[in-house]
Each structure stands twice: as structure tokens, then as C-alpha cells.
Amino acid sequence: LSPVCLGSLRRAASINAEYMGGLPIGKHFNLRFFDEQGDEIIRPYTPVTSDDELGYVELVIKIYPKGMMGQYLDHLNIGDSIDIMGPKGFIHYDMPSHITLTRLRNTKDFGFETINMIAGGTGLTPMYQIIQQIIKDKNDHTEVK
């Protein structure tokens, strides 16, 4: 657990030694818990870890004073658990300079040399995930703007 900026933190969750902590690049998962009244609380998160990092997953979490999921995660103790469901999402950065978009039974492929990213708030971690993949792949020459 470490602060990223005011009101945000980076939290790592241990899964098991063989678990690949990341997801297909461009995907996210849902976290779920049940509040004191038994209501189901679900929020999507994009991990900032990749599949190269085994046994844990790391998230960047914004903590809002009245945010149910952020407050819940901020108060978890070692050994506590939460449900993870996924992968979710329609976009997959599946190879250098290529994205596959899948919605229902419709699949579209997009090849490109440059990817322009505009992101803020919850859109930062999906962009970070793609940039991280581009940087670590020596065969990926995608230009990021």
C-alpha cells in the first residue's frame, strides 16, 4: 500500500504464486463486495501489473470520502478478501500496433503506427496498461502521442 497522489493509493493484492496478475492488454475486471446491508457493490478496475508479474495484482485507487469501493479497499487488512470477476471489456491490444474490438458477435481489427491517447480520471490506468506493454515489447514500434 503506497500513496500515488493526494487521495489516491496503489494497492497490491496477493492471489497465488501461479496466478498471472495482469489481464489481456486493454481489459479490466470487476471488484465486488457486499456492504453491511447485504447490497452488492461492484466497480471496474484496470490493473497496472502485467502478466509478467506472478502472484499479485496492483491497482491505483482513488479514495473518495463517500466512495463505497475505495473506502472498502482502503480499510482492508492483510488476509481480507474481495471478489475479482473478469476479464471484462471490448478492446484488446493483442499485438504490436493492433487492437481488436469485440462487441457481441461483431469483431473489428484496427492496425496503426501511432496511437493517440487522451485520458483523465478512470481512463488513466487503461492507457498506462497499453503504454507499459508497448515499452516492454522490443518488437513494438508503436508511437504513442
Side-chain angles (χ1 to χ4, degrees):
L1 174 66
S2 61
V4 175
C5 67
L6 185 61
S8 296
L9 58 89
R10 191 170 179 142
R11 177 147 251 193
S14 175
I15 312 288
N16 66 48
E18 294 82 36
Y19 178 77
M20 295 174 77
L23 292 170
I25 304 302
K27 302 282 186 177
H28 63 278
F29 53 64
N30 286 340
L31 295 184
R32 177 180 72 173
F33 78 95
F34 294 90
D35 68 12
E36 293 172 358
Q37 291 75 38
D39 293 329
E40 183 178 47
I41 309 299
I42 299 175
R43 300 288 185 275
Y45 285 91
T46 303
V48 294
T49 44
S50 71
D51 283 344
D52 298 338
E53 300 165 78
L54 300 179
Y56 72 99
V57 63
E58 256 184 8
L59 304 171
V60 175
I61 304 160
K62 179 75 174 172
I63 307 300
Y64 295 100
K66 295 184 181 181
M68 296 179 78
M69 182 63 75
Q71 289 294 326
Y72 179 81
L73 295 172
D74 192 31
H75 291 92
L76 286 176
N77 295 307
I78 293 174
D80 289 346
S81 64
I82 190 164
D83 296 331
I84 298 176
M85 303 171 289
K88 305 273 186 179
F90 307 110
I91 296 172
H92 183 196
Y93 187 81
D94 50 3
M95 67 180 88
S97 300
H98 188 268
I99 288 177
T100 300
L101 175 66
T102 305
R103 293 221 42 162
L104 301 173
R105 293 187 182 104
N106 189 12
T107 300
K108 294 182 181 179
D109 294 304
F110 298 94
F112 47 85
E113 294 178 10
T114 302
I115 186 168
N116 296 305
M117 297 183 174
I118 300 171
T122 60
L124 293 173
T125 51
M127 298 302 110
Y128 178 81
Q129 187 186 57
I130 293 170
I131 291 168
Q132 202 175 21
Q133 176 63 32
I134 291 168
I135 291 170
K136 79 175 184 182
D137 184 347
K138 293 179 181 133
N139 296 317
D140 194 334
H141 305 290
T142 305
E143 182 180 6
V144 178
K145 293 184 174 184

